[in-house]
Amino acid sequence: MNWGFLENVLSGVNKYSTAVGRLWLSVLFLFRILVYVAAAEQVWKDEQKDFVCNTQQPGCENTCFDHFFPISQVRLWALQLIMVSTPSLLVALHVAYRERREAKHGRKLYKDKGRIDGGLLATYITSLVFKTACEIGSLFAFYFLYSGFQVPILLRCSLSPCPNTVDCYIAKATEKKIFLFIMGCTSVLCIVLNVVELLYIVWKQCWRYFTRSFVPMQKDSCHTQPVLIVSESAADQPTANTTLQNQPAQS
């Protein structure tokens, strides 16, 4: 699978993200996509061929493999990466909509097209909630489909058409288990970053509302008094024109 297109698109989303969002993108690139492309795909490359059972019964190995791995672990991992990356594109699409709207009207409609407020704020929060839900859902899927993040070396299968209970062996079981733990830890880290970013955005919006509602009134009251003092002192002092008029004309 070619991840270059997704990486290029997410790099464009980076400039519309908060500081926590940029950290999330860094974790996504370094500890998830890079690990997946560089190592995980090679470990699970021939997983069905490496699944060996001690029987020559035709169809037994395929049946047991399908029972223990209804969805390939590495493909479920790739699906998770796609699902958690796609919501970030909504932010870029919303900014592109703002740019197209300004071009259509031929004037500037926004102070900053990438500023997270208004409709873009709702889009950003929606993307965070969707990403967090996908992360949690993927962790539950891994846990219930594969009985946790363990990869046993030996599996016993007695499904038809196996003649009896056969022993099946998984290749590179320890290595696969290590990569699954890395995947789980990075997923938990991304969930924490999403929650922190959501709280940061809510706090920032509350602070912006507070400054707009109360701070301007205090500033106006501070600037009003010096203006009154200047005007009063100016009124008490005669102007230069008045002084010249009161002086007697010299012959």
Side-chain angles (χ1 to χ4, degrees):
M1 182 176 180
N2 186 12
W3 295 90
F5 172 75
L6 182 61
E7 182 178 357
N8 293 332
V9 173
L10 290 179
S11 297
V13 180
N14 191 30
K15 60 182 178 180
Y16 304 126
S17 304
T18 63
V20 183
R22 296 188 186 97
L23 179 59
W24 178 87
L25 285 173
S26 300
V27 173
L28 180 68
F29 285 138
L30 296 177
F31 298 102
R32 307 189 74 173
I33 295 180
L34 187 60
V35 169
Y36 178 89
V37 173
E41 279 187 324
Q42 300 300 321
V43 174
W44 275 272
K45 187 175 183 180
D46 298 322
E47 55 180 335
Q48 189 167 1
K49 292 181 180 180
D50 296 335
F51 185 82
V52 180
C53 298
N54 59 350
T55 181
Q56 298 296 325
Q57 180 69 26
C60 180
E61 287 186 359
N62 292 335
T63 302
C64 294
F65 181 84
D66 183 69
H67 174 71
F68 291 116
F69 302 99
I71 301 176
S72 175
Q73 293 173 328
V74 70
R75 291 183 178 87
L76 183 58
W77 192 353
L79 180 62
Q80 178 191 10
L81 293 177
I82 294 173
M83 292 181 65
V84 301
S85 303
T86 303
S88 299
L89 304 180
L90 297 176
V91 179
L93 291 176
H94 197 120
V95 175
Y97 164 76
R98 286 186 170 185
E99 294 176 349
R100 184 173 177 274
R101 191 162 177 258
E102 284 190 347
K104 181 179 179 181
H105 289 81
R107 58 190 179 90
K108 190 173 182 62
L109 301 176
Y110 308 96
K111 294 181 179 179
D112 183 4
K113 294 183 290 292
R115 185 177 181 181
I116 303 176
D117 58 359
L120 186 59
L121 174 63
T123 302
Y124 204 99
I125 292 178
T126 302
S127 68
L128 286 176
V129 173
F130 190 77
K131 286 190 294 186
T132 305
C134 290
E135 294 279 12
I136 296 175
S138 299
L139 289 178
F140 275 106
F142 269 98
Y143 185 82
F144 287 107
L145 286 175
Y146 308 116
S147 300
F149 295 92
Q150 300 293 331
V151 182
I153 299 176
L154 173 64
L155 295 172
R156 298 184 182 276
C157 178
S158 58
L159 299 174
S160 177
C162 298
N164 48 33
T165 301
V166 298
D167 296 333
C168 299
Y169 300 91
I170 300 176
K172 305 176 183 178
T174 304
E175 191 174 8
K176 291 178 180 179
K177 181 171 64 175
I178 292 173
F179 277 107
L180 287 180
F181 274 117
I182 293 174
M183 185 276 300
C185 292
T186 52
S187 295
V188 173
L189 177 60
C190 287
I191 292 173
V192 173
L193 290 176
N194 288 332
V195 174
V196 171
E197 186 175 14
L198 182 61
L199 294 176
Y200 170 75
I201 291 176
V202 172
W203 173 83
K204 190 174 181 180
Q205 293 300 318
C206 293
W207 177 255
R208 186 179 298 172
Y209 173 79
F210 173 79
T211 54
R212 286 179 179 177
S213 301
F214 301 100
V215 174
M217 296 177 59
Q218 297 176 359
K219 288 183 178 180
D220 292 341
S221 61
C222 292
H223 288 290
T224 302
Q225 188 65 23
V227 173
L228 292 176
I229 294 174
V230 171
S231 61
E232 289 175 357
S233 59
D236 294 338
Q237 295 178 359
T239 60
N241 294 333
T242 305
T243 306
L244 292 174
Q245 291 177 3
N246 294 332
Q247 290 179 355
Q250 296 180 355
S251 58

